[in-house]
Amino acid sequence: MKLKASQVEFIERDLEKRGVAYDPLREDLVDHICCEVEEKMEAGKTFMDAYQEVALRFVRRGLVELNTETTSILSLMTMTKNFLTTAIRIFQKSWTYSVIRIFGLSLGISVFLLAVLYFIGENKYDDFHPDAENIYRMGRLTDHGKVATTTFPLVPTLREDYPQYRFTHFFKDRSKSLFRKEDKLFYESNMIFADVEFLQFFHFKGFKGNPASALRDPFSVVLTEDVSRKYFGRIPELGEVLDFKWGEEYYPVKITGLIPEWPSDMHIQFDVLIAFETTKTIFPGGIINAWNMNYCYSYVKLPSGVPSAQFESSFEDFVKQRVPDEGKAFTAYLGFLQPLTLIHVQPEVLSGYTEVTDPNYPKLALAIGFLVLFITSINFVTLTIAQFHERSKEVGIRKAVGASRRQVILQFIFETFILVTVSFLLGICALYFFIGLFNQFMPAQLSFSIASLGWMLWSVPVFILLLTLVTGLYPAIFFSAQNIMDTIHLKKRHSGISLRKILLTTQYVIAATLITFCIIIYNQVDYVQHKSVGYTTDHILYIPHGRDIRDNPEVFKTMAMKTPAIESVSLSFYKPTDNVGHAIDVRVGGNEPVKVAATSVDDDFFGTFGIDFVHGGNFQNSGMDITKVFILNEAAVKFLELDDPLAATLETEFQTGSPSLPVEQRTGKVIGVVRDVHFESLHTAIKPMIFMVKPYWYFYINVRINGHQVPAALAHLESTWRELFPDLPFEYTFLDSEFEQLYQKEKRLAGGLGAMAILALVTTCLGLFGYMRFVAQQKTKEVGIRKVLGATLFQISSLFSKEFIIAIGMANLISIPVSYYVSTQWLQNFTYRIDFTVLPYIITLVLLGVISTVTVLRELIRVMHIDPSATLRYD
Amino acid sequence: MYSSQLLKGTFQTIILKLLKEHKKMYGYEISMKVKEYSNGEIQLPEGSLYPILHKMAEEGLVKTEKVNIGKRVRRYYYLTDAGTTEARIKLEEFDRFIKTMGLLLSPKLKPV
């Protein structure tokens, strides 16, 4: 007579309850008992009688002792295997929980690792150059603070005076240079003149050529392989030649070195290096010997052991002896040394061609990464505890049959360990994907290289163990500490502030803060993007080759204006969105001279952009020599304290950058005042500005075209350009795209934080789901009783929603001051910022409320439909 | 019925011998066979049978094979190569033991 499945199950459960925890032994015993019971039943006994008889014999023998005796002889390996099978069985039983926990935690781990990689990446710029720790960039002090540019004669003079140190420098200005190989012509904007020592300071992996001499002879050039391919269609041989245009002439330059790949973690990024010696031939002598033109970047390599302060302390004597006195402090020529490896994270040192980052961003990323790991860990813990109902009986039985508390804790820690390890592996895979995503959106390039893996390998075990303890210890203690009777019968548990509530509230605080901050950033970016700048930006494009037409601009302008598709053409030193960095000395009456930001524009400039005059008029209208008069903006009128600006005469003095006339003094009347407009980004206040006609400074050709005839206008511009400059490529950019770029950093921040906020929201909801499930299971019986007593659905649902509504309310209360503080700090970056409103806080509250309700709705509906007769029947 | 003290050391040998003859057996079968072969004189208690089986599995003398019988699982035990060798050694050892015991405890014990 075969036993029924339910009878076998009964025996199995009974044995488990009586302490046969070791699976293989239990299987043996179940089979054994079943066989005996079957025999006895064949002899006519009932199942219960037969079982009682057999079981009694086993119980008398001592089932727990039998279990202990059997397991005591097992080796560690068999024990671990058993742990593992138990764990797998539990995962199978509750795989949704396990999947959610693993998924959440792996997300947290990969975000955290990403932040760590980013942080480390940003802080190890340039550390791969030999003797990187002994290399410094030299800079000077100006009214604007620390500046990285230096003069031409600085390095040659230093070489004479400090033969024990090594120096290098390179020259770079704003212009692009034209290169030519037969019919292939390209502008190269990343071109510098670098001296022979440059390749001795900076190391390029796989450099082809001799680094010691590649940049020694004039008209030598070193290219990156990418750029060389543009001209040759292949990687050229050393010694091949291409042409390079400077001024009006083409010069042949010989390739003496090739750089396979310019390292991405270097503070300068260039493509073309021309030997510095070349400048002696092609530059006017005036520049090369000028102590007042700062176009060079200079570096020094000190012998190891020589502190930078030792060299710095001799700056004063050096400048006094070697620099022709112009009455400036010595620091205006040579003021400080900046360690090479810190250049990337010191944006306060002003420089044009340096890849710098605000060091706060990597720190912020690290903090957020840690926060995300923290909330996903909390989530893991909450969801583990949510299994309370399913697990507590198992634990209770284990303990009843004499498993020590330590054993129970170990079992839990072991389970957590496996989950954490799996999450970690998944996290690494996700990291691979995240790095790709990150590199698309961020300026920093991360790589998943062997080097970073090697560093990770030794820290992984530590990390996993730590995370296991953090996420496993509390649930383990929680479960193991339960009073057995309580856990088995799920007695009403004491309420009050439990750690779980605190964890849930903490998650909400983080989510709420991130969401509010995100909304505020978004609002601010939207505000600055759409705030009227005060002039037309639509259908304006610029050609960055004003220099080519500065000597005779009218020719190009007249030809371009021949079609009605083109409405206005003008020239200027700066274009809108540029940082107007050039300042000149202005003196009014007998006052001390003050610095005023200056730009050079032509007569049509204000027309092109539609900038109105408040007083007076344009250059031409004045009837005066236009190279002698000035136009101010309203801010400048206020700044210079001019009561009647049109009556004022300004005395100015400024450096021109032109070798023929390095310093110019210009005295003249103010003929017009224009409205204040946002020429620069809205980060900064509108500067006092002075506009004058200085053709030598023309850099941009600004063109306003008819919005309905864009293609015709572009075609006409291009054909005009080709006619006038057949050997210069035609380039242009629409101003709109420049404005788009203007708040890129903030948009990235909003994007990054937005992703984090969503992540925080999702994990918080997962945590809430787990928590609700836990509460619902605890209160199943309560709901049954209440229903029997006639409670309405509303009363029942409020029984549950109360918990998380309180959590959300509390969390919002806490997050308001936090996000208020953080966002006001951040808004300090802008001079023009949005007003404080309560809207973002309300949106956050509503958003969290709605999403949380949706999350718990399913569980809520389930509980509300509970049939009291089913739940109350239990004991 | 023999006293359990007398039997204790022989259980493993008995189990080894049975497994050697029957290739593969499950726990209940072993205890039944012991009862049958000894005409009910010897009962192999479950409390000894299973710890011994699991210990031998741990030592690599036996292996198990699971067969599903309806809802329950039946674990068959069979000897490994090491187990077969062990069975031979144990049986030889027991044989010598019996002979020696015979010499020691025989009523006709006389010094030769």
Side-chain angles (χ1 to χ4, degrees):
Chain A
M1 171 151 182
K2 288 272 293 167
L3 286 182
K4 281 184 268 174
S6 62
Q7 290 166 329
V8 177
E9 233 169 81
F10 172 81
I11 294 174
E12 171 148 25
R13 264 214 307 276
D14 195 48
L15 280 180
E16 193 173 353
K17 213 184 275 181
R18 288 175 194 269
V20 187
Y22 182 51
D23 294 344
L25 177 65
R26 197 171 56 244
E27 282 165 8
D28 275 336
L29 291 186
V30 168
D31 185 41
H32 191 118
I33 290 172
C34 287
C35 289
E36 275 193 42
V37 170
E38 278 167 359
E39 247 169 53
K40 283 189 197 297
M41 283 169 74
E42 258 158 55
K45 289 201 169 129
T46 64
F47 169 73
M48 260 317 178
D49 284 349
Y51 179 66
Q52 292 293 345
E53 225 170 276
V54 180
L56 195 68
R57 207 178 74 242
F58 277 86
V59 172
R60 218 183 282 139
R61 162 65 175 81
L63 281 168
V64 176
E65 287 79 1
L66 180 57
N67 191 57
T68 324
E69 198 183 326
T70 312
T71 50
S72 69
I73 54 167
L74 297 178
S75 70
L76 189 68
M77 220 182 64
T78 321
M79 276 303 264
T80 318
K81 235 160 65 189
N82 184 39
F83 258 0
L84 210 66
T85 44
T86 317
I88 288 171
R89 213 184 54 221
I90 287 159
F91 294 156
Q92 282 170 345
K93 266 190 198 163
S94 55
W95 68 273
T96 26
Y97 276 121
S98 305
V99 167
I100 291 175
R101 281 193 291 170
I102 289 177
F103 178 72
L105 193 61
S106 57
L107 221 56
I109 289 172
S110 57
V111 168
F112 176 69
L113 290 180
L114 184 70
V116 170
L117 278 184
Y118 171 56
F119 181 81
I120 291 176
E122 292 288 304
N123 282 293
K124 70 173 194 49
Y125 258 61
D126 288 297
D127 70 351
F128 58 90
H129 302 297
D131 299 324
E133 68 282 4
N134 298 323
I135 301 178
Y136 299 87
R137 186 167 72 176
M138 296 182 274
R140 60 201 171 90
L141 302 177
T142 71
D143 300 340
H144 305 294
K146 291 180 168 182
V147 176
T149 50
T150 51
T151 59
F152 273 76
L154 181 69
V155 161
T157 317
L158 283 168
R159 280 200 181 113
E160 286 169 20
D161 282 23
Y162 299 90
Q164 70 274 35
Y165 302 154
R166 299 178 72 177
F167 298 92
T168 186
H169 64 160
F170 66 84
F171 165 89
K172 172 81 187 128
D173 74 352
R174 290 211 296 176
S175 63
K176 299 175 177 183
S177 306
L178 196 60
F179 282 77
R180 181 178 75 184
K181 179 69 191 174
E182 284 145 17
D183 59 335
K184 296 205 177 79
L185 278 156
F186 297 101
Y187 279 110
E188 296 299 342
S189 49
N190 290 327
M191 190 276 279
I192 56 171
F193 292 94
D195 79 355
V196 61
E197 288 271 323
F198 187 87
L199 296 167
Q200 300 284 319
F201 273 59
F202 302 114
H203 176 72
F204 297 97
K205 223 160 116 188
F207 183 79
K208 290 181 193 144
N210 181 359
S213 63
L215 291 169
R216 190 184 55 213
D217 302 326
F219 300 102
S220 308
V221 67
V222 171
L223 302 170
T224 57
E225 289 186 352
D226 268 355
V227 163
S228 72
R229 249 185 239 115
K230 283 199 300 194
Y231 297 92
F232 293 89
R234 59 185 162 86
I235 295 170
E237 299 293 319
L238 298 184
E240 291 199 65
V241 172
L242 70 168
D243 300 324
F244 137 74
K245 190 174 186 229
W246 191 259
E248 294 305 310
E249 284 190 56
Y250 277 102
Y251 299 89
V253 286
K254 192 171 82 178
I255 299 174
T256 52
L258 285 165
I259 296 168
E261 195 183 356
W262 195 284
S264 61
D265 51 350
M266 196 165 157
H267 71 290
I268 38 177
Q269 299 284 324
F270 296 117
D271 296 317
V272 183
L273 316 174
I274 293 185
F276 202 88
E277 283 295 301
T278 319
T279 60
K280 290 195 174 151
T281 314
I282 62 173
F283 281 23
I287 292 187
I288 289 173
N289 300 315
W291 279 97
N292 55 10
M293 279 192 241
N294 297 285
Y295 288 113
C296 289
Y297 292 81
S298 310
Y299 299 80
V300 60
K301 191 192 275 187
L302 302 176
S304 56
V306 175
S308 58
Q310 187 182 322
F311 182 35
E312 275 177 325
S313 64
S314 66
F315 285 175
E316 185 165 8
D317 288 342
F318 167 80
V319 173
K320 276 192 177 146
Q321 282 167 25
R322 302 302 301 258
V323 180
D325 186 30
E326 285 189 18
K328 288 192 208 163
F330 76 93
T331 50
Y333 300 98
L334 185 53
F336 66 96
L337 294 179
Q338 184 185 18
L340 174 69
T341 49
L342 294 183
I343 292 176
H344 182 65
V345 287
Q346 294 185 333
E348 64 271 21
V349 178
L350 302 175
S351 60
Y353 308 96
T354 311
E355 305 274 322
V356 285
T357 188
D358 184 337
N360 288 322
Y361 279 104
K363 279 182 205 158
L364 186 71
L366 198 62
I368 289 178
F370 190 76
L371 221 56
V372 169
L373 183 64
F374 182 66
I375 55 173
T376 46
S377 300
I378 290 184
N379 210 36
F380 188 92
V381 173
T382 320
L383 284 169
T384 309
I385 291 175
Q387 283 173 291
F388 178 80
H389 184 78
E390 284 96 332
R391 300 296 301 273
S392 55
K393 280 192 180 167
E394 172 204 330
V395 174
I397 290 158
R398 267 169 193 271
K399 290 189 67 181
V401 301
S404 69
R405 186 168 177 196
R406 216 189 54 164
Q407 272 174 323
V408 174
I409 291 183
L410 269 179
Q411 171 78 34
F412 269 94
I413 298 265
F414 182 74
E415 272 175 47
T416 313
F417 173 75
I418 290 181
L419 286 182
V420 168
T421 310
V422 173
S423 308
F424 195 88
L425 294 177
L426 272 176
I428 298 262
C429 298
L431 180 63
Y432 199 74
F433 165 77
F434 278 143
I435 284 178
L437 211 66
F438 181 87
N439 286 347
Q440 269 180 15
F441 286 102
M442 300 297 272
Q445 292 295 307
L446 292 182
S447 61
F448 201 61
S449 64
I450 300 298
S452 59
L453 271 180
W455 153 82
M456 258 193 226
L457 277 182
W458 64 260
S459 60
V460 162
V462 181
F463 185 68
I464 290 183
L465 280 182
L466 215 64
L467 206 57
T468 302
L469 284 185
V470 169
T471 53
L473 210 53
Y474 172 66
I477 291 171
F478 174 82
F479 277 111
S480 67
Q482 299 302 314
N483 183 303
I484 304 158
M485 291 313 284
D486 269 1
T487 55
I488 291 179
H489 293 295
L490 271 182
K491 282 268 162 62
K492 187 180 171 354
R493 299 174 40 71
H494 58 90
S495 54
I497 302 170
S498 67
L499 185 55
R500 288 186 308 287
K501 273 186 198 158
I502 296 176
L503 291 182
L504 187 68
T505 313
T506 311
Q507 280 185 307
Y508 267 116
V509 170
I510 294 169
T513 308
L514 280 174
I515 292 170
T516 315
F517 188 31
C518 238
I519 296 174
I520 291 174
I521 293 178
Y522 179 81
N523 282 348
Q524 171 69 21
V525 171
D526 188 62
Y527 169 77
V528 290
Q529 198 92 80
H530 292 103
K531 184 176 167 33
S532 164
V533 286
Y535 51 89
T536 327
T537 56
D538 292 339
H539 310 299
I540 288 185
L541 59 84
Y542 65 87
I543 302 165
H545 298 295
R547 283 185 177 181
D548 294 310
I549 66 165
R550 69 186 176 201
D551 297 330
N552 203 352
E554 291 311 317
V555 177
F556 177 77
K557 283 167 84 170
T558 324
M559 278 178 74
M561 292 288 287
K562 271 182 188 157
T563 163
I566 290 172
E567 295 176 345
S568 176
V569 180
S570 63
L571 286 133
S572 65
F573 185 19
Y574 292 103
K575 67 176 181 343
T577 71
D578 276 353
N579 170 31
V580 183
H582 197 78
I584 65 171
D585 286 320
V586 178
R587 189 202 289 266
V588 183
N591 296 345
E592 278 294 296
V594 285
K595 291 265 186 216
V596 180
T599 179
S600 164
V601 295
D602 69 359
D603 209 37
D604 295 316
F605 179 80
F606 300 104
T608 305
F609 290 97
I611 299 172
D612 304 332
F613 280 85
V614 183
H615 305 291
N618 218 334
F619 294 110
Q620 291 290 1
N621 307 343
S622 65
M624 291 186 240
D625 179 359
I626 59 166
T627 60
K628 286 267 176 337
V629 292
F630 304 101
I631 291 174
L632 300 177
N633 66 355
E634 291 171 295
V637 173
K638 218 172 287 166
F639 178 67
L640 295 171
E641 296 170 344
L642 304 176
D643 294 329
D644 180 8
L646 295 183
T649 301
L650 305 181
E651 291 170 56
T652 62
E653 184 177 320
F654 50 90
Q655 289 179 16
T656 62
S658 152
S660 55
L661 179 70
V663 177
E664 184 182 332
Q665 282 153 345
R666 189 181 280 200
T667 303
K669 284 222 164 280
V670 175
I671 50 143
V673 175
V674 290
R675 205 154 30 81
D676 277 341
V677 294
H678 292 283
F679 213 66
E680 299 173 301
S681 87
L682 272 74
H683 288 106
T684 49
I686 293 175
K687 273 182 190 163
M689 272 177 71
I690 185 161
F691 301 85
M692 57 190 179
V693 177
K694 176 80 189 160
Y696 190 80
W697 288 352
Y698 289 159
F699 197 88
Y700 293 108
I701 307 169
N702 310 294
V703 182
R704 190 178 76 224
I705 57 185
N706 186 321
H708 302 292
Q709 291 171 277
V710 177
L714 289 177
H716 178 73
L717 273 180
E718 183 161 6
S719 64
T720 309
W721 188 265
R722 291 217 181 287
E723 199 181 326
L724 287 175
F725 311 102
D727 55 349
L728 295 182
F730 174 63
E731 289 185 314
Y732 68 91
T733 310
F734 275 97
L735 198 56
D736 300 17
S737 66
E738 288 299 299
F739 275 94
E740 281 290 313
Q741 293 291 316
L742 208 49
Y743 306 106
Q744 203 64 13
K745 204 166 82 174
E746 284 74 20
K747 284 180 195 163
R748 281 201 201 103
L749 182 66
L753 278 179
M756 292 302 142
I758 291 171
L759 198 67
L761 197 61
V762 169
T763 45
T764 305
C765 285
L766 285 178
L768 177 70
F769 172 76
Y771 183 73
M772 274 312 282
R773 183 122 181 205
F774 169 75
V775 176
Q777 273 158 350
Q778 251 191 0
K779 292 192 173 172
T780 309
K781 211 161 285 174
E782 188 181 335
V783 170
I785 294 171
R786 280 178 192 265
K787 274 191 160 179
V788 170
L789 295 178
T792 61
L793 286 184
F794 175 76
Q795 282 167 329
I796 289 169
S797 67
S798 73
L799 192 67
F800 293 95
S801 26
K802 207 176 64 192
E803 299 257 359
F804 79 86
I805 286 175
I806 290 175
I808 294 176
M810 284 279 293
N812 263 283
L813 273 184
I814 299 170
S815 87
I816 285 172
V818 179
S819 50
Y820 178 77
Y821 175 77
V822 174
S823 52
T824 17
Q825 285 296 308
W826 179 78
L827 284 171
Q828 297 299 317
N829 288 326
F830 290 88
T831 308
Y832 302 92
R833 44 186 182 252
I834 47 170
D835 299 325
F836 170 82
T837 59
V838 290
L839 203 62
Y841 300 91
I842 293 174
I843 292 175
T844 307
L845 185 67
V846 172
L847 191 72
L848 283 181
V850 169
I851 292 181
S852 305
T853 311
V854 170
T855 309
V856 300
L857 210 57
R858 200 179 135 259
E859 197 68 15
L860 214 58
I861 290 172
R862 198 186 63 78
V863 171
M864 285 197 288
H865 286 92
I866 280 175
D867 177 5
S869 66
T871 50
L872 293 178
R873 205 180 45 182
Y874 254 112
D875 322 79
Chain B
M1 285 288 263
Y2 300 105
S3 76
S4 64
Q5 265 182 323
L6 199 58
L7 291 171
K8 226 168 195 167
T10 65
F11 287 155
Q12 194 183 355
T13 314
I14 294 171
I15 295 169
L16 281 169
K17 160 88 170 135
L18 282 175
L19 285 176
K20 202 179 161 202
E21 271 172 22
H22 290 85
K23 300 297 173 222
K24 61 174 196 178
M25 300 173 88
Y26 56 97
Y28 182 69
E29 193 184 2
I30 294 175
S31 70
M32 284 293 105
K33 281 277 184 279
V34 172
K35 208 168 163 184
E36 188 189 322
Y37 288 171
S38 66
N39 295 321
E41 291 290 327
I42 294 175
Q43 280 245 12
L44 188 54
E46 296 82 9
S48 301
L49 171 64
Y50 290 106
I52 290 172
L53 281 174
H54 284 273
K55 185 165 181 268
M56 292 202 299
E58 184 69 27
E59 287 165 350
L61 300 179
V62 296
K63 282 202 165 172
T64 58
E65 185 187 313
K66 289 189 189 185
V67 177
N68 283 320
I69 309 280
K71 179 72 187 172
R72 65 187 197 251
V73 178
R74 176 162 294 167
R75 287 158 58 92
Y76 281 98
Y77 290 84
Y78 60 90
L79 288 179
T80 61
D81 289 348
T84 317
T85 317
E86 182 72 12
R88 214 186 55 235
I89 293 169
K90 283 274 181 194
L91 284 173
E92 276 170 16
E93 189 191 344
F94 192 75
D95 203 40
R96 275 186 283 120
F97 176 73
I98 293 292
K99 279 183 185 147
T100 314
M101 280 317 229
L103 285 177
L104 264 177
L105 303 176
S106 148
K108 291 177 224 161
L109 184 70
K110 272 181 213 157
V112 181

